[in-house]
Amino acid sequence: MTNVFGTTEKVLNRRRLVDLGEEALKKGGWRVERIQGVGKSSVRRIVKGAERHTVSIRTTQDTWIAFPRNENDSGWVTLDDVDYVVAVTVDDKDAPKEGLVYMIEGDEMRERFDRAYRARLDAGHSIPVGRGVWVSMFLAEDPSAASSVGGGIALGREPLLAMQLDASSGEDKSESSAPVSAGDEEAPLTIADAKRRLARSLGIDPQKIKIVIEA
């Protein structure tokens, strides 16, 4: 599965997908709040009038989402604690054109992941506690393929929000950018610029970012 921290671009794209998930909730009339005292970065409280729920925003750049088992293997980290999962995915892992947001009831998602976990164990797969179990957004279930069980989360479901992405980078085309003067379109990105832009996206000090380039 995709290492979302493998490159600066993937880190930035993950942040964009999280933002897209929050935008979809807000357009649906929900107020989105961080929950004090909860260290899980994906968990939010959503409020609409007297209705309130706890949700987990999960993002994927390869169309599969994951939750890990808890330490005593009795359930799921984060998934067991939420009412809904807001799954934000690209439409195609190799040539993404859209970011898609789906809101799935927690009970349905837990049932899918329970079946996925049992199917893999029955097929002899080794799943260490703490390692994520991956379920596909678009791959339909095939009883003969353990890895497909629980999948097809997005099939037959209308997304809360669909946003066109820049095919070259996964960037939201609606996102504003600084004007580029003639002759600067091919200007190289410096390490300092990359650190500054990444720090702005993540909300941290640029001095805390280390970029390693491997030729």
Side-chain angles (χ1 to χ4, degrees), residues 124-143:
H125 294 195
S126 175
I127 309 176
V129 171
R131 179 178 296 178
V133 173
W134 296 84
V135 174
S136 174
M137 293 295 297
F138 301 109
L139 180 65
E141 293 192 51
D142 178 353

Side-chain angles (χ1 to χ4, degrees), residues 60-134:
T60 171
Q61 298 180 53
D62 60 14
T63 73
W64 293 66
I65 65 171
F67 284 97
R69 297 289 290 179
N70 59 25
E71 290 185 357
N72 58 12
D73 199 22
S74 63
W76 302 95
V77 175
T78 304
L79 179 55
D80 282 348
D81 303 323
V82 299
D83 303 309
Y84 290 90
V85 174
V86 178
V88 190
T89 179
V90 294
D91 58 337
D92 184 279
K93 69 182 183 68
D94 297 317
K97 295 180 180 179
E98 285 189 311
L100 304 167
V101 184
Y102 296 90
M103 188 170 176
I104 302 97
E105 289 190 359
D107 287 343
E108 177 186 337
M109 197 66 88
R110 283 184 283 271
E111 188 271 339
R112 286 180 178 273
F113 272 82
D114 285 344
R115 286 193 293 110
Y117 186 52
R118 288 195 299 270
R120 287 162 171 77
L121 292 181
D122 290 345
H125 294 195
S126 175
I127 309 176
V129 171
R131 179 178 296 178
V133 173
W134 296 84

